[in-house]
Amino acid sequence: MSSTASQAVDAAKRKAGPVIDVAKERTGQASDVLKTATENPRKAKNDFLHMPFVRGALPFVNGGLAGMTATTVIQPIDMIKVRLQLAGEGARTGPRPSPLQVTRDIVASGKAMDLYTGLSAGLLRQAVYTTARLGFFESFMGALTTRARSKGREAGFAERAGAGLSAGGLAAMIGNPADLALIRMQSDGLKPKDKRANYRSVVDALMRISKSEGVYALWAGAFPTVVRAMALNFGQLAFFSEAKQQLKARTQISSRSQTLTASAIAGFFASFFSLPFDFAKTRLQKQQKGPDGKLPYASMVDCFRKVAKEEGLLRFYRGFGTYYVRIAPHA
């Protein structure tokens, strides 16, 4: 019995030996990492940032933070833009307020902070939409650049445009519920007081819309939202990259000036291409069923047709200056 027990113990030691050696090796590696982090925190930070997972996540994180910061700054402008798009709905000779007049009306009817109505929805939208948009764009551009270089050339305008369109469309579909909540919260003040929803936050808006209209209602206006995002990204990302590349090659201005000039150029083209779709998106996401149980617009095409007929083609570009100021910081 004692011989058998000794043999069992020896066999167990032989089997456990490699495991113990690996554990010792890993413990030693962990000690080395901890020691390096203590002695040289900068190197440890750089090593962490260059980990594959972190490198893959950084474009998404940076994009989301940048978008949320920009939204905090330009939220009042977005509020004014939405009110301009909804003014005189259904009438060619309706009111034509200026941005300044809209600002005065909002402040006069409540308080200055009413300009920040829907900020929680705007932040959620940027956390979702911009994070995905810039993250997808960086990922797509990385893949397209690698493919282009394998063919002996650099990625050009076509690759940047394709990456921008794809990234914008995918991100817009993901972020549509937050976008819809933002429009509902910003347009709520246009209703008579007894018919206002008075949403407390984006979470409250999403829950109440889902409960009263169904979950699918959160994706109302998704098609124009996706088309708008694709047009917006085509202008923002593609023209920004192209403008900066051309400025770098043809001018001697500083890197900061190149970035600001490229942003201004990209913002203009992004506004020009996307504003009609943004207009349709706002109208479709704001609409709710009337007493007859019907919606004012059946689809994006129906919205374009009715607005062009009843309000005129130029209505789609109402508030272009305000929209440009809103878009440029994101470019």
Side-chain angles (χ1 to χ4, degrees), residues 309-320:
K309 181 180 179 180
E310 299 171 2
E311 304 175 42
L313 289 172
L314 291 179
R315 185 61 61 90
F316 293 111
Y317 280 96
R318 172 179 282 183
F320 180 85

Side-chain angles (χ1 to χ4, degrees), residues 14-324:
R14 286 194 298 271
K15 291 182 179 179
V19 177
I20 295 173
D21 291 340
V22 171
K24 288 181 178 179
E25 182 181 352
R26 296 292 170 82
T27 303
Q29 290 175 351
S31 300
D32 292 340
V33 171
L34 182 61
K35 184 178 179 181
T36 300
T38 303
E39 296 177 352
N40 192 345
R42 180 175 295 181
K43 182 178 183 302
K45 179 182 177 181
N46 289 336
D47 289 343
F48 173 76
L49 292 176
H50 283 83
M51 292 175 63
F53 172 77
V54 176
R55 286 176 65 86
L58 276 177
F60 292 84
V61 175
N62 290 338
L65 291 176
M68 293 173 74
T69 302
T71 290
T72 303
V73 175
I74 57 96
Q75 180 68 16
I77 299 173
D78 188 68
M79 177 72 167
I80 295 167
K81 183 268 298 182
V82 170
R83 292 295 179 86
L84 285 171
Q85 291 177 331
L86 296 175
E89 184 174 2
R92 184 182 294 268
T93 58
R96 301 181 62 181
S98 67
L100 185 59
Q101 183 180 343
V102 171
T103 303
R104 285 201 304 261
D105 291 344
I106 293 173
V107 174
S109 63
K111 51 187 178 181
M113 289 306 295
D114 285 351
L115 291 168
Y116 277 90
T117 298
L119 179 60
S120 61
L123 292 175
L124 176 62
R125 177 183 179 277
Q126 292 301 329
V128 176
Y129 170 70
T130 305
T131 299
R133 177 176 68 97
L134 293 182
F136 283 136
F137 180 76
E138 291 292 337
S139 299
F140 293 159
M141 274 305 300
L144 292 171
T145 299
T146 301
R147 189 176 71 173
R149 287 176 178 172
S150 69
K151 297 180 180 180
R153 61 181 181 84
E154 291 296 322
F157 183 80
E159 283 81 7
R160 284 188 285 272
L165 290 169
S166 301
L170 287 171
M173 183 60 71
I174 296 171
N176 197 78
D179 207 346
L180 181 136
L182 174 62
I183 297 299
R184 291 289 182 90
M185 294 175 77
Q186 290 178 323
S187 63
D188 197 46
L190 295 173
K191 300 176 182 177
K193 288 187 177 181
D194 60 333
K195 294 184 179 181
R196 293 178 186 176
N198 295 317
Y199 300 113
R200 295 188 299 273
S201 66
V202 62
V203 175
D204 180 48
L206 291 173
M207 291 181 65
R208 288 167 63 182
I209 293 169
S210 299
K211 185 177 180 179
S212 62
E213 302 176 41
V215 175
Y216 288 115
L218 296 177
W219 272 269
F223 184 61
T225 301
V226 169
V227 177
R228 168 196 176 272
M230 294 176 73
L232 189 65
N233 280 273
F234 176 73
Q236 280 186 333
L237 301 176
F239 278 92
F240 175 80
S241 299
E242 186 69 17
K244 191 168 184 180
Q245 186 180 58
Q246 294 297 331
L247 289 168
K248 185 176 181 180
R250 300 172 184 272
T251 67
Q252 300 298 321
I253 60 177
S254 66
S255 177
R256 178 176 295 181
S257 296
Q258 289 175 11
T259 299
L260 292 174
T261 305
S263 294
I265 294 171
F268 174 83
F269 282 104
S271 300
F272 178 78
F273 289 131
S274 66
L275 183 53
F277 299 106
D278 184 84
F279 181 95
K281 174 190 77 70
T282 298
R283 290 286 180 93
L284 287 169
Q285 291 182 332
K286 174 257 181 185
Q287 70 174 352
Q288 290 179 283
K289 292 181 179 180
D292 59 356
K294 295 181 179 181
L295 293 169
Y297 307 109
S299 65
M300 182 181 74
V301 175
D302 185 50
C303 178
F304 275 123
R305 183 181 61 80
K306 287 182 177 178
V307 171
K309 181 180 179 180
E310 299 171 2
E311 304 175 42
L313 289 172
L314 291 179
R315 185 61 61 90
F316 293 111
Y317 280 96
R318 172 179 282 183
F320 180 85
T322 305
Y323 186 66
Y324 173 77

